[in-house]
Amino acid sequence: MFRKDYVAPGFWVDTVEMGFDLDLKSTHVATRMTMRRNHESSEKELVLFGESLKLLQLRMNGIDLKKSDYVIDGEILRIANAPDELVLEIETRIKPLKNTSLSGLYASNGNFITQCEAEGFRKITWFPDRPDVMAKYTVMLRADKKKFPVLLSNGNLIDEGDLGDGRHFAKWEDPFKKPSYLFALVAGKLVCQEEQYRLKSGREVLLQVWVEKGNLDKTQHAMDSLKNSIRWDEDRFGLELDLDRFMIVATSDFNMGAMENKGLNIFNTKFVLANPSLATDIDYAGIESVVGHEYFHNWTGNRITCRDWFQLSLKEGLTVFRDQEFSADLVGTATGRAVKRIEDVRLLRQVQFSEDAGPMAHPVRPDSFVEINNFYTVTIYEKGSEVVRMYYTLLGHDGFRKGMDLYFERHDGQAVECDDFRRAMADSSGRDLTQFERWYSQAGTPRVQVQTTYDAAQQTYDIQLTQSCPATPGQAEKLPFHIPVAMGLLGSDGQDIPLYSETYPTNAGQTNLVLELTEVAQTFRFTGVATKPVPSLLRNFSAPVVLEIDYTDEELGLLLANDSDPFNRWEAGQRLMMRRLVKLTKAVQSGEPLELDTMLIEALRATLNNQHLDPSFRELVLTLPSEAMIAEEFAVVDPQAIHTARQFVRATLSRYLRTDLFQAYEHNLTPGQYSPDAQSMAKRGLKNLALSYLLESSDEQTFSLAKAQFDEAENMTDRLAALTALSNFSGTEEQQAVALKALHKFYKKFKKEALVIDKWFMLQATARTTDVATVRELMTHPAFTLSNPNRARSLAFNFCNANPARFHAADGSGYLLWAELVIALNKINPQVAARLARSLDRWKKYPESLQIPMKAALAKVADTQKLSKDVLEVVSKALAS
Ligand code: B3K
Ligand code: ZN
């Protein structure tokens, strides 16, 4: 599929009426739609899409169509010579129970669930299943009353009743037109927590969170998050909930996090269910952000949707930006915002930068794809959000809001393109954003090189910025981007100095400035600079680029201790660490002795003990770059050497900061009832980081600290942190036995809680001692199955993606396991299989000795019979790189 080939639909659909006779084995679907010709389209035939359907009946304007009246070619059904206005009636039969792809209509624990984005609706009925066809839906659900007491679909419930013969019905009407990917139905044994909620306008709406029986004690946080989301969108963007009822349904069988179906969001249980004894602080934060994300889609995605799937980031990038801002606003404090920003940037750098540097690299608005489901990527989501954030940085808070207002004013009810969003931002601000378009069309992570010159006699300071962008598949040459570089200058006392630049006269005297880099190279001159300053560039990570700048250790120390921009303060610490981690990795490779200088240790000690800093910020500063991040610093990756180097730093810090770490542990206890508020979460975070460092030292004192925390924990955050520390502890045989016992105890205690058992698998998948053999053994555990995506991710994905030193075993056994898993998953669930397939994207970055077995594993997958196009696209792009 190519973006340039877009053709508007030959026919519009105005209304869709659907009737479902729900039966797990065989469901009958009757669809009646009113259609009219789109005279502006060059597509003259009536085109419908369908997949895995049994077509029973096709009727046009009341007349049964004969086989000769239409052509079915794979997934496409064409009717030539259709009249300009018509009613099309279609009857199909589908098999939900056999549908293990979790796309379309499928069964989960005996309930019916749907997932239609991107192209799942065509597994329910023949339909012009493309996002630019928006229609109004009325849905009649009929099912056995005992087995399926609850019947839900989009919009408002307009009728319900008994059908006799043990069956009942519910009729739903969605007053808003929508693309088919937002269709949803849910039927089964479910219970809900519900609440009437008053909007700012005074209108009352019904909010419901539906779960399986036994889970009602885990819905409060999702409900609170939903109410916070509704309020936030009113306050920050003036956007009100447009329905009288808003429902969330949780299912344990789901391919991703959640889905924004109109008025009937369907969620992975992971992002709904929580109570203190089962969910961690990270889970609580995840629920808040995903509930927000799906709710915000109601305006950015549903009311205004995408013209075609190449525009996916139009809704995803924007909605991620909105959910990031939501979470940041809820914390409220400046440090809280910075902490959220740092976490988001860490993800971007670790996963998106890596994607941008591999065979699947694609622009935020891709030009082609084989399988759209492979393009729900960190580039579309996270880089897409960074692109939206750059408008925010360039236009300011009020300017951005104006742009959003204009976007809604112009496009409400339409299916549009990324360019329409950019145009709204440009027109509302009067700014020329033509060059900004390259952020959508060019893939790759731009590099910005910094050169500075200080002239003491003239008191001038020049910052020269040079940009470049590496080649990506299909894009050898790149044109310069429009890059906002937020910055400040620090004096030798660490304080911001006032900025005077001829380029930005209206900002004279301010301490923060956004430089706009639009050419390959530009020099920005600052005047009246009394002493040589230390530059703080790309504040708050104002653009998704790699900033190449030569700082001395002293300069980084100054920034870490003083920068008024908390993001860059953290960044300075990361640079200090990275410099050493790279050096140490090289030392491991060449067999030199490993040493860590006191400069870093003392800088970290000062941060750890700085009571003026928020504990969550201190936790982030003290967290070493991940092994994956360190790998990005090397042309050829040596996973074992990186692991050894990083472990050495952890162990050294554990030894030198022992007293400080014990103190941090003691100071950040959170006695009393668990609360997921920012302050308590921050304390637990720092305390548990201290614990994990302390357990790098193998002695009885650290061991019993973790053991006691495990035994006495009253919440999952503390319990899991302790168990993780114990599982990675290398102590005496006796201690190992105790640790193993704790692991068994944990399993026994929580074996009925699927989400906790996922954690149990995850913890083992990522443990230092877990090798391929351990994973194979865990796969035979009765609780393990590849059919459930959460479970598959907990063990298989975590091992392949988050335990690099073990996965990249020298004998290639990790890759063999990977190939077996991808092949097995391909039969069950192509979307999930294709995700796992991506673990070998970067095979070219490894030494020859690993490349050979990696390539063999990729080839093995590529040669598999009946390979889905999902997996085929991923492995063939990897092999071609
Ligand atoms: N829009 C959905 C993702 C659908 C993925 C389809 N393979 C969730 C979200 O981004 O909110
Ligand atoms: Zn989304």
Side-chain angles (χ1 to χ4, degrees), residues 13 35 108 292 311 509 524 621 645 647-648 658 672 692 734 739:
V13 182
M35 307 181 81
S108 165
Q311 318 294 331
F524 300 88
V621 173
Q647 277 314 118
F648 168 77
R658 186 178 173 97
S692 88
E734 202 180 320

Side-chain angles (χ1 to χ4, degrees), residues 117 258 260 293-294 297 300 315-316 319-320 381:
E117 187 176 0
E260 70 264 25
H293 181 96
E294 306 311 330
H297 264 315
T300 50
K315 75 176 176 82
E316 294 305 347
T319 306
V320 171
Y381 278 68

Side-chain angles (χ1 to χ4, degrees), residues 115-119 181-182 254-260 290 293-294 297 309 312 315-316 319-320 371-374 376 381 831 835:
Q115 171 55 37
C116 292
E117 187 176 0
E119 297 177 336
Y181 81 84
L182 290 174
F254 210 61
N255 280 349
M256 61 270 168
M259 177 65 211
E260 70 264 25
V290 178
H293 181 96
E294 306 311 330
H297 264 315
W309 291 121
L312 182 57
K315 75 176 176 82
E316 294 305 347
T319 306
V320 171
E371 169 54 60
I372 179 57
N373 286 315
N374 284 334
Y376 287 75
Y381 278 68
Q831 274 185 46
R835 290 280 150 161

